[in-house]
Short mmCIF file of all heavy atoms in Angstrom, two decimals:
data_model
loop_
_atom_site.label_atom_id
_atom_site.label_comp_id
_atom_site.label_asym_id
_atom_site.label_seq_id
_atom_site.Cartn_x
_atom_site.Cartn_y
_atom_site.Cartn_z
N LYS A 38 37.01 19.44 12.64
CA LYS A 38 36.94 19.41 11.18
C LYS A 38 35.45 19.54 10.83
O LYS A 38 34.63 18.74 11.26
CB LYS A 38 37.53 18.14 10.64
CG LYS A 38 38.97 17.84 11.01
CD LYS A 38 39.40 16.45 10.56
CE LYS A 38 40.82 16.16 11.03
NZ LYS A 38 41.25 14.78 10.61
N GLU A 39 35.10 20.51 9.99
CA GLU A 39 33.73 20.81 9.70
C GLU A 39 33.49 20.82 8.17
O GLU A 39 34.35 21.22 7.39
CB GLU A 39 33.30 22.15 10.26
CG GLU A 39 33.37 22.22 11.79
CD GLU A 39 32.74 23.48 12.36
OE1 GLU A 39 31.90 24.11 11.62
OE2 GLU A 39 33.08 23.88 13.47
N LEU A 40 32.28 20.37 7.81
CA LEU A 40 31.82 20.44 6.42
C LEU A 40 30.46 21.07 6.40
O LEU A 40 29.60 20.76 7.25
CB LEU A 40 31.77 19.07 5.80
CG LEU A 40 33.10 18.32 5.50
CD1 LEU A 40 32.76 16.91 5.01
CD2 LEU A 40 33.87 19.08 4.43
N THR A 41 30.20 21.89 5.44
CA THR A 41 28.86 22.41 5.18
C THR A 41 28.28 21.60 3.97
O THR A 41 28.87 21.63 2.90
CB THR A 41 28.87 23.90 4.87
OG1 THR A 41 29.33 24.58 6.02
CG2 THR A 41 27.46 24.38 4.51
N VAL A 42 27.23 20.91 4.25
CA VAL A 42 26.64 19.98 3.25
C VAL A 42 25.19 20.45 2.93
O VAL A 42 24.36 20.60 3.84
CB VAL A 42 26.61 18.54 3.84
CG1 VAL A 42 25.91 17.60 2.85
CG2 VAL A 42 28.00 18.07 4.19
N TYR A 43 24.92 20.65 1.66
CA TYR A 43 23.59 20.98 1.20
C TYR A 43 22.91 19.70 0.75
O TYR A 43 23.51 18.89 0.05
CB TYR A 43 23.60 21.96 0.03
CG TYR A 43 23.96 23.39 0.37
CD1 TYR A 43 24.34 23.76 1.66
CD2 TYR A 43 23.94 24.35 -0.63
CE1 TYR A 43 24.66 25.09 1.95
CE2 TYR A 43 24.29 25.69 -0.35
CZ TYR A 43 24.67 26.03 0.95
OH TYR A 43 24.98 27.35 1.21
N THR A 44 21.66 19.52 1.12
CA THR A 44 20.93 18.28 0.77
C THR A 44 19.44 18.49 0.60
O THR A 44 18.88 19.45 1.25
CB THR A 44 21.16 17.21 1.83
OG1 THR A 44 20.57 15.98 1.38
CG2 THR A 44 20.52 17.58 3.17
N ALA A 45 18.82 17.72 -0.26
CA ALA A 45 17.37 17.67 -0.38
C ALA A 45 16.83 16.33 0.08
O ALA A 45 15.68 16.01 -0.16
CB ALA A 45 16.96 17.96 -1.83
N LEU A 46 17.64 15.54 0.73
CA LEU A 46 17.17 14.24 1.26
C LEU A 46 16.09 14.53 2.31
O LEU A 46 16.05 15.55 2.98
CB LEU A 46 18.33 13.49 1.92
CG LEU A 46 19.41 12.97 0.96
CD1 LEU A 46 20.63 12.51 1.73
CD2 LEU A 46 18.86 11.81 0.11
N GLU A 47 15.17 13.57 2.46
CA GLU A 47 14.02 13.74 3.33
C GLU A 47 14.49 13.83 4.79
O GLU A 47 15.38 13.10 5.21
CB GLU A 47 13.03 12.60 3.16
CG GLU A 47 12.38 12.51 1.80
CD GLU A 47 11.34 13.56 1.57
OE1 GLU A 47 10.73 14.05 2.58
OE2 GLU A 47 11.09 13.96 0.43
N ASP A 48 13.82 14.66 5.57
CA ASP A 48 14.15 14.86 6.98
C ASP A 48 14.18 13.54 7.77
O ASP A 48 15.05 13.33 8.60
CB ASP A 48 13.14 15.79 7.63
CG ASP A 48 13.37 17.25 7.25
OD1 ASP A 48 14.52 17.70 7.25
OD2 ASP A 48 12.37 17.93 6.93
N ASP A 49 13.21 12.69 7.49
CA ASP A 49 13.10 11.46 8.31
C ASP A 49 14.12 10.39 7.92
O ASP A 49 14.18 9.35 8.53
CB ASP A 49 11.69 10.87 8.27
CG ASP A 49 11.18 10.61 6.84
OD1 ASP A 49 11.95 10.81 5.86
OD2 ASP A 49 10.03 10.13 6.71
N GLN A 50 14.93 10.67 6.91
CA GLN A 50 16.00 9.73 6.50
C GLN A 50 17.36 10.15 7.05
O GLN A 50 18.24 9.30 7.22
CB GLN A 50 16.08 9.67 4.97
CG GLN A 50 14.82 9.26 4.29
CD GLN A 50 14.87 9.53 2.78
OE1 GLN A 50 15.84 9.99 2.25
NE2 GLN A 50 13.74 9.25 2.09
N LEU A 51 17.51 11.41 7.32
CA LEU A 51 18.86 11.93 7.48
C LEU A 51 19.59 11.42 8.77
O LEU A 51 20.81 11.16 8.72
CB LEU A 51 18.80 13.49 7.57
CG LEU A 51 18.59 14.14 6.20
CD1 LEU A 51 18.25 15.60 6.35
CD2 LEU A 51 19.80 13.95 5.34
N LYS A 52 18.90 11.25 9.84
CA LYS A 52 19.56 10.81 11.09
C LYS A 52 20.27 9.50 10.93
O LYS A 52 21.42 9.32 11.31
CB LYS A 52 18.58 10.74 12.25
CG LYS A 52 19.27 10.41 13.60
CD LYS A 52 18.31 10.36 14.74
CE LYS A 52 19.04 10.11 16.03
NZ LYS A 52 19.92 8.91 16.03
N ALA A 53 19.56 8.53 10.35
CA ALA A 53 20.15 7.20 10.16
C ALA A 53 21.38 7.25 9.23
O ALA A 53 22.43 6.65 9.48
CB ALA A 53 19.13 6.21 9.64
N TYR A 54 21.25 8.05 8.18
CA TYR A 54 22.37 8.19 7.25
C TYR A 54 23.59 8.77 7.91
O TYR A 54 24.71 8.29 7.82
CB TYR A 54 22.01 9.11 6.07
CG TYR A 54 20.88 8.62 5.17
CD1 TYR A 54 20.34 9.45 4.20
CD2 TYR A 54 20.44 7.29 5.18
CE1 TYR A 54 19.35 9.01 3.34
CE2 TYR A 54 19.47 6.86 4.30
CZ TYR A 54 18.89 7.73 3.39
OH TYR A 54 17.91 7.31 2.55
N LEU A 55 23.37 9.84 8.67
CA LEU A 55 24.48 10.55 9.28
C LEU A 55 25.05 9.79 10.48
O LEU A 55 26.23 9.93 10.78
CB LEU A 55 24.06 11.98 9.69
CG LEU A 55 23.83 12.87 8.47
CD1 LEU A 55 23.17 14.18 8.89
CD2 LEU A 55 25.16 13.17 7.74
N ASP A 56 24.23 8.98 11.14
CA ASP A 56 24.75 8.13 12.19
C ASP A 56 25.78 7.17 11.58
O ASP A 56 26.78 6.82 12.20
CB ASP A 56 23.64 7.34 12.88
CG ASP A 56 22.85 8.20 13.88
OD1 ASP A 56 23.35 9.30 14.22
OD2 ASP A 56 21.81 7.77 14.34
N SER A 57 25.49 6.65 10.38
CA SER A 57 26.37 5.74 9.67
C SER A 57 27.70 6.48 9.36
O SER A 57 28.76 5.92 9.54
CB SER A 57 25.71 5.25 8.37
OG SER A 57 26.61 4.50 7.62
N PHE A 58 27.60 7.73 8.86
CA PHE A 58 28.81 8.47 8.59
C PHE A 58 29.67 8.69 9.82
O PHE A 58 30.87 8.58 9.84
CB PHE A 58 28.49 9.82 7.93
CG PHE A 58 29.65 10.69 7.69
CD1 PHE A 58 30.54 10.44 6.64
CD2 PHE A 58 29.91 11.78 8.55
CE1 PHE A 58 31.64 11.23 6.45
CE2 PHE A 58 31.03 12.58 8.35
CZ PHE A 58 31.88 12.31 7.28
N LYS A 59 28.98 9.03 10.92
CA LYS A 59 29.66 9.32 12.18
C LYS A 59 30.47 8.12 12.70
O LYS A 59 31.52 8.29 13.29
CB LYS A 59 28.63 9.77 13.22
CG LYS A 59 29.25 10.17 14.54
CD LYS A 59 28.15 10.59 15.51
CE LYS A 59 28.70 10.87 16.88
NZ LYS A 59 27.66 11.19 17.89
N LYS A 60 29.99 6.94 12.44
CA LYS A 60 30.70 5.74 12.85
C LYS A 60 32.06 5.65 12.15
O LYS A 60 33.07 5.19 12.72
CB LYS A 60 29.89 4.47 12.54
CG LYS A 60 28.66 4.29 13.46
CD LYS A 60 27.87 3.07 13.02
CE LYS A 60 26.61 2.97 13.87
NZ LYS A 60 25.78 1.79 13.42
N SER A 61 32.11 6.06 10.90
CA SER A 61 33.34 6.04 10.12
C SER A 61 34.22 7.24 10.37
O SER A 61 35.48 7.13 10.30
CB SER A 61 33.03 5.92 8.63
OG SER A 61 32.24 4.80 8.33
N HIS A 62 33.60 8.37 10.64
CA HIS A 62 34.37 9.65 10.76
C HIS A 62 33.86 10.47 11.92
O HIS A 62 33.24 11.53 11.74
CB HIS A 62 34.24 10.43 9.45
CG HIS A 62 34.76 9.70 8.23
ND1 HIS A 62 36.09 9.56 7.99
CD2 HIS A 62 34.11 9.06 7.23
CE1 HIS A 62 36.25 8.86 6.85
NE2 HIS A 62 35.07 8.57 6.40
N PRO A 63 34.09 10.00 13.14
CA PRO A 63 33.54 10.70 14.29
C PRO A 63 34.18 12.07 14.55
O PRO A 63 33.60 12.88 15.28
CB PRO A 63 33.89 9.74 15.47
CG PRO A 63 35.05 8.97 14.98
CD PRO A 63 34.84 8.79 13.50
N ASP A 64 35.26 12.36 13.89
CA ASP A 64 35.99 13.64 14.09
C ASP A 64 35.52 14.74 13.19
O ASP A 64 36.00 15.89 13.29
CB ASP A 64 37.48 13.43 13.96
CG ASP A 64 37.86 12.92 12.55
OD1 ASP A 64 37.01 12.17 11.96
OD2 ASP A 64 38.97 13.22 12.08
N ILE A 65 34.57 14.45 12.26
CA ILE A 65 34.12 15.43 11.29
C ILE A 65 32.73 15.94 11.65
O ILE A 65 31.79 15.11 11.77
CB ILE A 65 34.12 14.88 9.85
CG1 ILE A 65 35.54 14.44 9.44
CG2 ILE A 65 33.60 15.96 8.89
CD1 ILE A 65 35.61 13.80 8.08
N LYS A 66 32.57 17.20 11.89
CA LYS A 66 31.27 17.82 12.18
C LYS A 66 30.59 18.19 10.88
O LYS A 66 31.18 18.81 9.99
CB LYS A 66 31.45 19.06 13.06
CG LYS A 66 30.17 19.81 13.34
CD LYS A 66 30.46 21.09 14.09
CE LYS A 66 29.20 21.91 14.30
NZ LYS A 66 29.48 23.17 14.98
N ILE A 67 29.32 17.79 10.75
CA ILE A 67 28.56 18.11 9.55
C ILE A 67 27.57 19.24 9.90
O ILE A 67 26.70 19.09 10.72
CB ILE A 67 27.78 16.88 9.02
CG1 ILE A 67 28.73 15.72 8.75
CG2 ILE A 67 26.99 17.26 7.78
CD1 ILE A 67 29.79 16.03 7.69
N ASN A 68 27.71 20.37 9.21
CA ASN A 68 26.72 21.41 9.27
C ASN A 68 25.79 21.23 8.07
O ASN A 68 26.16 21.41 6.91
CB ASN A 68 27.39 22.76 9.17
CG ASN A 68 28.28 23.04 10.38
OD1 ASN A 68 27.90 22.72 11.51
ND2 ASN A 68 29.43 23.61 10.14
N LEU A 69 24.58 20.80 8.36
CA LEU A 69 23.66 20.36 7.32
C LEU A 69 22.65 21.45 6.99
O LEU A 69 22.03 22.01 7.88
CB LEU A 69 22.93 19.09 7.78
CG LEU A 69 22.21 18.27 6.75
CD1 LEU A 69 23.20 17.60 5.80
CD2 LEU A 69 21.32 17.23 7.39
N VAL A 70 22.53 21.81 5.70
CA VAL A 70 21.51 22.73 5.25
C VAL A 70 20.57 21.90 4.37
O VAL A 70 20.93 21.47 3.30
CB VAL A 70 22.10 23.86 4.42
CG1 VAL A 70 21.02 24.78 3.88
CG2 VAL A 70 23.09 24.67 5.31
N ARG A 71 19.33 21.66 4.89
CA ARG A 71 18.36 20.83 4.19
C ARG A 71 17.18 21.64 3.70
O ARG A 71 16.62 22.42 4.45
CB ARG A 71 17.89 19.73 5.17
CG ARG A 71 17.10 18.62 4.50
CD ARG A 71 15.64 18.90 4.38
NE ARG A 71 15.02 18.07 3.35
CZ ARG A 71 13.84 18.33 2.84
NH1 ARG A 71 13.13 19.36 3.22
NH2 ARG A 71 13.33 17.57 1.91
N ASP A 72 16.83 21.47 2.43
CA ASP A 72 15.64 22.10 1.92
C ASP A 72 15.22 21.36 0.67
O ASP A 72 15.82 20.35 0.28
CB ASP A 72 15.94 23.58 1.56
CG ASP A 72 14.74 24.47 1.87
OD1 ASP A 72 13.61 24.13 1.50
OD2 ASP A 72 14.96 25.52 2.53
N SER A 73 14.12 21.80 0.08
CA SER A 73 13.62 21.17 -1.14
C SER A 73 14.61 21.38 -2.29
O SER A 73 15.47 22.26 -2.25
CB SER A 73 12.27 21.71 -1.54
OG SER A 73 12.36 23.09 -1.85
N THR A 74 14.46 20.56 -3.34
CA THR A 74 15.41 20.61 -4.45
C THR A 74 15.44 22.00 -5.09
O THR A 74 16.51 22.54 -5.42
CB THR A 74 14.95 19.58 -5.51
OG1 THR A 74 15.05 18.24 -4.94
CG2 THR A 74 15.83 19.65 -6.73
N GLY A 75 14.26 22.64 -5.27
CA GLY A 75 14.24 23.96 -5.91
C GLY A 75 14.99 24.97 -5.09
O GLY A 75 15.70 25.81 -5.65
N ILE A 76 14.85 24.94 -3.76
CA ILE A 76 15.54 25.92 -2.90
C ILE A 76 17.04 25.65 -2.90
O ILE A 76 17.86 26.57 -3.00
CB ILE A 76 15.00 25.83 -1.46
CG1 ILE A 76 13.53 26.20 -1.43
CG2 ILE A 76 15.82 26.70 -0.54
CD1 ILE A 76 13.24 27.66 -1.74
N ILE A 77 17.44 24.37 -2.85
CA ILE A 77 18.87 24.02 -2.89
C ILE A 77 19.49 24.50 -4.20
O ILE A 77 20.59 25.08 -4.23
CB ILE A 77 19.10 22.52 -2.66
CG1 ILE A 77 18.70 22.13 -1.23
CG2 ILE A 77 20.54 22.13 -2.99
CD1 ILE A 77 19.52 22.74 -0.15
N THR A 78 18.80 24.27 -5.30
CA THR A 78 19.29 24.72 -6.62
C THR A 78 19.45 26.24 -6.64
O THR A 78 20.47 26.76 -7.04
CB THR A 78 18.33 24.27 -7.73
OG1 THR A 78 18.09 22.86 -7.61
CG2 THR A 78 18.89 24.60 -9.10
N ALA A 79 18.40 26.93 -6.17
CA ALA A 79 18.46 28.38 -6.15
C ALA A 79 19.60 28.89 -5.26
O ALA A 79 20.28 29.88 -5.62
CB ALA A 79 17.14 28.97 -5.65
N LYS A 80 19.83 28.23 -4.17
CA LYS A 80 20.88 28.65 -3.25
C LYS A 80 22.25 28.49 -3.89
O LYS A 80 23.11 29.38 -3.77
CB LYS A 80 20.75 27.84 -1.94
CG LYS A 80 21.62 28.34 -0.84
CD LYS A 80 21.19 27.68 0.48
CE LYS A 80 22.10 28.17 1.64
NZ LYS A 80 22.07 29.62 1.84
N LEU A 81 22.47 27.33 -4.54
CA LEU A 81 23.74 27.13 -5.23
C LEU A 81 23.98 28.24 -6.27
O LEU A 81 25.12 28.74 -6.37
CB LEU A 81 23.77 25.79 -5.89
CG LEU A 81 23.84 24.55 -4.98
CD1 LEU A 81 23.60 23.27 -5.78
CD2 LEU A 81 25.16 24.48 -4.24
N LEU A 82 22.98 28.55 -7.03
CA LEU A 82 23.13 29.56 -8.09
C LEU A 82 23.34 30.97 -7.50
O LEU A 82 24.16 31.75 -8.00
CB LEU A 82 21.93 29.53 -9.00
CG LEU A 82 21.64 28.24 -9.73
CD1 LEU A 82 20.41 28.42 -10.66
CD2 LEU A 82 22.86 27.75 -10.49
N ALA A 83 22.65 31.27 -6.42
CA ALA A 83 22.78 32.59 -5.79
C ALA A 83 24.15 32.78 -5.20
O ALA A 83 24.66 33.90 -5.16
CB ALA A 83 21.72 32.76 -4.70
N GLU A 84 24.76 31.67 -4.79
CA GLU A 84 26.09 31.73 -4.14
C GLU A 84 27.24 31.43 -5.08
O GLU A 84 28.36 31.20 -4.66
CB GLU A 84 26.14 30.78 -2.94
CG GLU A 84 25.16 31.11 -1.85
CD GLU A 84 25.04 29.97 -0.80
OE1 GLU A 84 25.64 28.90 -0.99
OE2 GLU A 84 24.34 30.24 0.21
N LYS A 85 27.00 31.46 -6.39
CA LYS A 85 27.98 31.00 -7.32
C LYS A 85 29.30 31.75 -7.28
O LYS A 85 30.37 31.17 -7.51
CB LYS A 85 27.43 31.01 -8.76
CG LYS A 85 27.11 32.39 -9.32
CD LYS A 85 26.50 32.27 -10.71
CE LYS A 85 26.14 33.63 -11.30
NZ LYS A 85 27.32 34.48 -11.49
N ASP A 86 29.25 33.03 -6.89
CA ASP A 86 30.49 33.82 -6.80
C ASP A 86 31.17 33.70 -5.41
O ASP A 86 32.30 34.17 -5.28
CB ASP A 86 30.21 35.28 -7.13
CG ASP A 86 29.73 35.47 -8.57
OD1 ASP A 86 30.21 34.75 -9.45
OD2 ASP A 86 28.87 36.35 -8.81
N ASN A 87 30.48 33.13 -4.48
CA ASN A 87 31.03 32.95 -3.14
C ASN A 87 30.39 31.70 -2.52
O ASN A 87 29.57 31.79 -1.58
CB ASN A 87 30.70 34.19 -2.28
CG ASN A 87 31.34 34.09 -0.91
OD1 ASN A 87 32.37 33.45 -0.70
ND2 ASN A 87 30.75 34.76 0.10
N PRO A 88 30.80 30.54 -2.97
CA PRO A 88 30.15 29.28 -2.54
C PRO A 88 30.30 29.08 -1.03
O PRO A 88 31.38 29.29 -0.44
CB PRO A 88 30.92 28.20 -3.31
CG PRO A 88 31.57 28.91 -4.46
CD PRO A 88 31.85 30.28 -3.97
N GLN A 89 29.21 28.64 -0.41
CA GLN A 89 29.20 28.40 1.02
C GLN A 89 29.26 26.90 1.33
O GLN A 89 29.84 26.47 2.35
CB GLN A 89 27.93 28.98 1.66
CG GLN A 89 27.78 30.46 1.50
CD GLN A 89 28.97 31.23 2.10
OE1 GLN A 89 29.24 31.13 3.31
NE2 GLN A 89 29.68 32.00 1.27
N ALA A 90 28.69 26.06 0.46
CA ALA A 90 28.67 24.62 0.70
C ALA A 90 30.04 24.04 0.28
O ALA A 90 30.70 24.53 -0.61
CB ALA A 90 27.58 23.98 -0.12
N ASP A 91 30.41 22.94 0.93
CA ASP A 91 31.56 22.16 0.54
C ASP A 91 31.17 21.08 -0.46
O ASP A 91 31.94 20.68 -1.33
CB ASP A 91 32.22 21.52 1.76
CG ASP A 91 32.81 22.55 2.70
OD1 ASP A 91 33.65 23.33 2.25
OD2 ASP A 91 32.40 22.59 3.89
#
Side-chain angles (χ1 to χ4, degrees):
K38 302 173 183 177
E39 298 189 20
L40 289 174
T41 297
V42 177
Y43 287 4
T44 186
L46 292 167
E47 295 285 334
D48 285 315
D49 57 0
Q50 301 166 3
L51 286 168
K52 184 180 185 303
Y54 294 169
L55 289 169
D56 283 349
S57 173
F58 175 76
K59 184 180 174 183
K60 289 177 184 177
S61 303
H62 300 284
D64 59 330
I65 301 176
K66 176 185 175 183
I67 304 299
N68 295 319
L69 196 68
V70 177
R71 191 272 159 197
D72 217 312
S73 64
T74 298
I76 297 293
I77 293 296
T78 307
K80 191 166 177 59
L81 290 171
L82 300 183
E84 296 171 352
K85 65 183 178 65
D86 296 325
N87 184 27
Q89 300 301 302
D91 295 302

